[in-house]
Amino acid sequence: MAQDYRTIRVAVPVPLDGTFDYLIESGAGAKPGARVQVRFGRRTLIGVVVAVDVDSPVAAARLKPVLRLLDATPLFDAALLKLLRWTARYYHHPLGEALATALPTALRRIRATAETTRNRGWQACAEPAIDPETALVRAPRQKELLTMLRAAGNAVAHSTLLARFPGAQRPLKALAERGLIQAVELPGGLETGTAGTPPELTADQHVVVEALRAAAGFAPALVEGVTGSGKTEIYFRRMADTLAAGRQVLFLAPEIGLTPQLIDRLRSRFAAAIGVLHSQRSDGERADVWKAAAAGAADIVIGTRSAVFTPMPRLGLIIVDEEHDGSYKQSDGLRYHARDVALKRAQDAAIPILLGSATPALETLHNARAGRFDHRKLTRRATGAALPAIRLIDIRSRPLDGGLSEPLIDRIRPHLEAGNQVMIFINRRGFAPALLCHDCGWSAPCHRCDAAMTVHGAMSRLICHHCGSAENAPSACPSCGSESLVALGAGTQRVAGALRSHFPDVPVARFDRDSMARKGRLEAQLADVASGATQLLVGTQMLAKGHDFARLTCVGVLDVDGGLFSADFRAAEHMAQVVTQVAGRAGRADRPGEVWLQTRNPEHPMLARLLDGGYPGFAEAALAERKATALPPYGHLALLRAEAHDARHPHDFLAAAAATIPPAGELACWGPVPAPMARRAGRYRAHLLLHGARRALLHPVLDRWQSELGGLPAARRVRWSIDVDPQDLI
Ligand code: ADP
Ligand code: ZN
Ligand code: ZN
């Protein structure tokens, strides 16, 4: 047996620490990074080979053979395997699960692996038999298409052509029949962009681009530029440099920042093979993009969080747009932060990485100040437009109608009358955040969470935003029988309704998760905003990023106070970021903008800093506060979470975990304490917070927890997880 088989080490997607050894036929050619199908206990799983010809501590006679080798060419190259090993170690998560998280869903399954999407494209013929100039005099559409394809040089995807020239099918067919263009097969999942003419850089942009060009090797840079300062143009210049050098670019954007506008800008700038990875793409498409990237066929990969794990053998540049965005941190399973993983990846590959934002995370600003990142600033808008003025509306003792105060309505009116657009931002979807009995004070609770139910659809439905429970709203108070039930506060639906009643002739569009549930709806609504068909926009976070609304001159933010008084130490930072980002949507072009914040705390020092000093002024004050309290970035956190149906079990488990920590001056362990939301979806939740003055202090404890806690008797009664650098303590 020994001659015919070799021993390989496989990472299997199970919540167990460690890897497992198997046998494989010597002739199979198994390489690290290839997937194998194996028996694990009574299950059949897909694992990833992490080493071959290993010395197993288990006798060969007791090792099982793999069922099947799935990839002749490894899916993970050596660099990516190394990155995932680091990620699994840093976040204290089993390697097999980390590798599975990195894989597109279709490649985690056995059946779908053979599927590929076909991707047709067109290319101009190099030496056509006829002269297009004379042949196409009376076919302007064909001429236009041919000119575009010739300018592109490369093949352009059929779908890209149709998107840009609706109804292009017939002229394309005619061009092909004339022998002027030919059909080609593009690698699945990729599309080819068209070369576009870049704008002349502004003087500020020029300085930044030249400075970035001067760096070599691992060169992390923070590009802090106010909204509209032309950060994207800076990325594009550095991308062009990278592509010209024959290397690949990885572009990360937050889920809601990865707008059709951004992808269109990429497509109409680079005559390159582009792969797009986001949640709206099918599993098959994502798998195709991944494979094309691994084969080196994709020049640019643009995607959300998990795209940071795309294999790219020629990787030459990483961009993390809106680097402060919370969606870069995964909140379950492998709790990685894509920005931080991207930094590690750039370091391993010795390549530049650009972190861009108008509102950098305090951690990133801290790194920049400490000299770890090159810090480049753009303080003016590229178009010369002025930044909007931000002012407060004091709503203490003012009645609100659907969340809107009278002064805000008065300020919106002239903008609408002048034919401009107005945006109202409220960080809460639904109709109202609570249903209350006017007579006895009862409020509708979620029966599975420590949270109030959100009222949806004008008092008709109650939905819990934490666990998804839904029920019909009662018509009378279940506690006292009174029929005086009132919806307290406002969400997007109620605000939209109030605006419609104040401005009956103005078209209103709502942007939130509920209204965008249907595919293509966001694109359609954005198109209406661009054309001017929509004049009033109401929405959540979804409106805060990336969009360029030329006619938007006024922004109203309905509640900033939640960010000022919260158990979450990052709440103020998030408030300042979102206010600055939504404000940045106003007055983008030639029309000046104004921004109004409704508040009951007009004297709050953090608001004052934001208004006086903008985000940089706010960040200065917020960093000083973090320093005083030794919170990140001045201290390091890890959270051990546990939950169970019985409230005692998480507590017992966490107490046992706490007992394993030796007392040490610079390492503190707080808890166990109930989580701020002590019950969610029927489970009681508690946590233990580990605080270290230095990061190095945390990891030995976490290592021990990762390997030992699973063996505690109390562990069998809870769900538990480790969260390194937690973004929230909820
Ligand atoms: P940011 O990413 O910093 O918010 P963008 O790159 O989206 O900014 O640029 C904002 C606007 O300014 C866009 O409409 C863009 O086309 C325009 N713009 C950027 N750079 C230039 C430039 N050098 N010349 C003219 N317009 C520019
Ligand atoms: Zn009542
Ligand atoms: Zn609930």
Side-chain angles (χ1 to χ4, degrees):
M1 188 156 170
Q3 306 94 301
D4 302 323
Y5 284 85
R6 27 204 316 216
T7 308
I8 58 172
R9 191 150 287 168
V10 179
V12 183
V14 288
L16 294 173
D17 207 14
T19 47
F20 303 89
D21 295 343
Y22 287 88
L23 299 175
I24 192 163
E25 285 170 43
S26 300
K31 299 190 189 80
R35 292 169 309 147
V36 285
Q37 193 181 338
V38 295
R39 292 289 291 172
F40 190 86
R42 260 179 264 152
R43 295 190 294 161
T44 301
L45 297 173
I46 291 188
V48 176
V49 180
V50 294
V52 295
D53 296 329
V54 294
D55 251 335
S56 183
V58 183
R62 295 189 49 222
L63 291 176
K64 279 185 255 175
V66 304
L67 301 177
R68 197 147 63 105
L69 174 68
L70 295 171
D71 309 305
T73 314
L75 277 188
F76 295 89
D77 56 29
L80 192 56
L81 267 185
K82 182 174 174 218
L83 182 72
L84 279 152
R85 277 183 190 281
W86 176 85
T87 307
R89 216 168 34 239
Y90 183 87
Y91 292 101
H92 294 271
H93 199 71
L95 178 62
E97 288 196 341
L99 289 163
T101 305
L103 274 179
T105 321
L107 299 176
R108 284 178 224 163
R109 291 193 302 256
I110 293 165
R111 247 177 337 115
T113 47
E115 276 173 26
T116 50
T117 50
R118 276 189 56 231
N119 193 12
R120 273 189 312 135
W122 297 96
Q123 189 164 21
C125 295
E127 285 165 13
I130 55 167
D131 176 16
E133 287 305 318
T134 48
L136 299 182
V137 259
R138 273 185 290 168
R141 295 275 293 158
Q142 292 180 41
K143 190 158 181 191
E144 195 183 358
L145 280 163
L146 182 65
T147 310
M148 187 258 198
L149 282 169
R150 288 189 151 181
N154 299 34
V156 179
H158 187 67
S159 55
T160 308
L161 287 169
L162 285 193
R164 202 157 319 146
F165 301 92
Q169 286 101 326
R170 294 218 5 231
L172 283 169
K173 196 158 163 255
L175 282 169
E177 278 163 6
R178 289 172 194 257
L180 290 168
I181 64 171
Q182 64 197 40
V184 290
E185 278 287 323
L186 292 173
L190 300 186
E191 43 193 301
T192 311
T194 320
T197 321
E200 190 89 20
L201 290 181
T202 64
D204 292 353
Q205 284 172 325
H206 183 77
V207 171
V208 175
V209 169
E210 288 309 315
L212 295 175
R213 274 187 180 143
F218 173 53
L222 167 62
V223 180
E224 180 181 9
V226 297
T227 48
S229 58
K231 293 184 289 297
T232 313
E233 193 51 45
I234 288 171
Y235 308 150
F236 281 12
R237 294 301 170 107
R238 294 296 289 129
M239 289 169 69
D241 295 341
T242 309
L243 296 174
R247 316 269 309 253
Q248 293 170 297
V249 177
L250 176 60
F251 192 128
L252 300 180
E255 187 69 61
I256 29 187
L258 187 49
T259 57
Q261 279 179 346
L262 177 60
I263 297 170
D264 274 346
R265 269 174 89 175
L266 268 183
R267 278 190 195 123
S268 53
R269 172 64 75 84
F270 297 106
I274 303 170
V276 183
L277 288 171
H278 60 65
S279 58
Q280 301 243 311
R281 308 217 79 185
S282 72
D283 287 349
E285 285 171 323
R286 295 173 70 95
D288 282 344
V289 171
W290 164 287
K291 287 190 206 154
D299 300 310
I300 300 170
V301 170
I302 178 165
T304 48
R305 183 175 61 223
S306 62
V308 73
F309 296 119
T310 312
M312 299 178 78
R314 296 183 285 119
L315 186 61
L317 172 69
I318 305 179
I319 289 158
V320 185
D321 192 22
E322 312 286 7
E323 65 81 32
H324 65 278
D325 194 90
S327 73
Y328 283 125
K329 173 87 159 133
Q330 178 144 310
S331 58
D332 55 10
L334 175 65
R335 293 173 158 83
Y336 66 100
H337 198 302
R339 174 197 60 218
D340 298 339
V341 174
L343 280 162
K344 177 65 184 161
R345 187 168 184 177
Q347 186 180 27
D348 284 350
I351 57 170
I353 175 167
L354 302 183
L355 310 180
S357 179
T359 54
L362 295 180
E363 279 88 345
T364 304
L365 279 174
H366 180 63
N367 277 328
R369 288 173 174 203
R372 286 188 282 271
F373 300 166
D374 181 17
H375 193 175
R376 299 286 153 188
K377 295 178 199 167
L378 292 165
T379 54
R380 282 175 295 209
R381 286 180 159 179
T383 53
L387 280 165
I390 304 185
R391 277 164 288 182
L392 300 179
I393 295 176
D394 183 354
I395 53 167
R396 279 176 299 190
S397 70
R398 279 186 188 281
L400 298 181
D401 175 13
L404 303 156
S405 65
E406 192 70 42
L408 182 60
I409 295 287
D410 291 342
R411 263 136 207 171
I412 293 171
R413 187 167 287 115
H415 291 270
L416 296 175
E417 282 169 359
N420 292 329
Q421 289 168 324
V422 173
M423 183 168 105
I424 302 296
F425 174 83
I426 174 154
N427 204 3
R428 182 171 271 125
R429 63 197 172 85
F431 182 76
L435 183 69
L436 209 74
C437 171
H438 192 67
D439 289 326
C440 77
W442 170 88
S443 73
C446 172
H447 298 291
R448 307 175 67 216
C449 305
D450 280 346
M453 295 292 258
T454 299
V455 186
H456 276 249
M459 306 286 275
S460 57
R461 290 285 284 169
L462 299 177
I463 300 176
C464 174
H465 284 190
H466 305 284
C467 73
S469 295
E471 60 196 54
N472 287 330
S475 52
C477 171
S479 172
C480 76
S482 161
E483 289 183 8
S484 314
L485 294 178
V486 289
L488 202 69
T492 45
Q493 292 177 349
R494 190 175 210 170
V495 176
L499 286 169
R500 286 193 184 100
S501 68
H502 279 283
F503 306 104
D505 301 327
V506 176
V508 178
R510 207 178 89 217
F511 293 78
D512 59 32
R513 192 133 57 83
D514 303 317
S515 64
M516 295 306 152
R518 234 177 334 118
K519 196 170 170 174
R521 179 81 180 270
L522 177 62
E523 285 81 348
Q525 287 202 177
L526 287 173
D528 282 349
V529 176
S531 75
T534 295
Q535 233 191 318
L536 250 170
L537 296 74
V538 180
T540 57
Q541 225 91 311
M542 203 171 268
L543 283 177
K545 288 171 193 116
H547 311 289
D548 205 347
F549 302 132
R551 293 150 65 140
L552 189 79
T553 53
C554 179
V555 173
V557 181
L558 298 194
D559 62 331
V560 292
D561 296 342
L564 301 174
F565 306 96
S566 168
D568 177 4
F569 72 92
R570 290 184 211 268
E573 176 185 356
H574 292 157
M575 180 276 295
Q577 286 166 342
V578 96
V579 165
T580 310
Q581 296 281 349
V582 282
R585 303 303 125 215
R588 300 272 289 184
D590 49 343
R591 308 171 198 215
E594 57 182 34
V595 178
W596 296 98
L597 312 182
Q598 290 191 161
T599 178
R600 290 194 170 85
N601 302 281
E603 276 104 42
H604 196 285
M606 282 296 181
L607 268 185
R609 289 305 298 250
L610 183 60
L611 264 59
D612 294 346
Y615 187 79
F618 163 84
E620 183 95 24
L623 276 169
E625 202 176 285
R626 295 272 183 94
K627 189 167 190 176
T629 47
L631 283 167
Y634 298 97
H636 302 278
L637 300 177
L639 200 61
L640 180 64
R641 292 191 172 90
E643 57 176 47
H645 287 288
D646 183 329
R648 283 169 306 176
H649 294 159
H651 186 275
D652 292 347
F653 169 77
L654 294 168
T660 65
I661 303 177
E666 286 184 300
L667 182 70
C669 178
W670 296 320
V673 289
M677 187 185 292
R679 199 168 57 111
R680 187 160 75 191
R683 287 198 167 79
Y684 290 89
R685 314 161 70 235
H687 63 228
L688 202 59
L689 186 63
L690 207 56
H691 177 278
R694 285 172 293 115
R695 196 185 286 289
L697 293 167
L698 297 179
H699 284 273
V701 175
L702 297 174
D703 281 339
R704 182 137 27 89
W705 279 354
Q706 192 186 359
S707 58
E708 290 173 11
L709 292 187
L712 292 179
R716 281 197 295 276
R717 294 194 292 267
V718 299
R719 282 190 192 166
W720 63 276
S721 61
I722 293 172
D723 190 353
V724 177
D725 305 331
Q727 286 299 294
D728 57 59
L729 309 181
I730 309 165

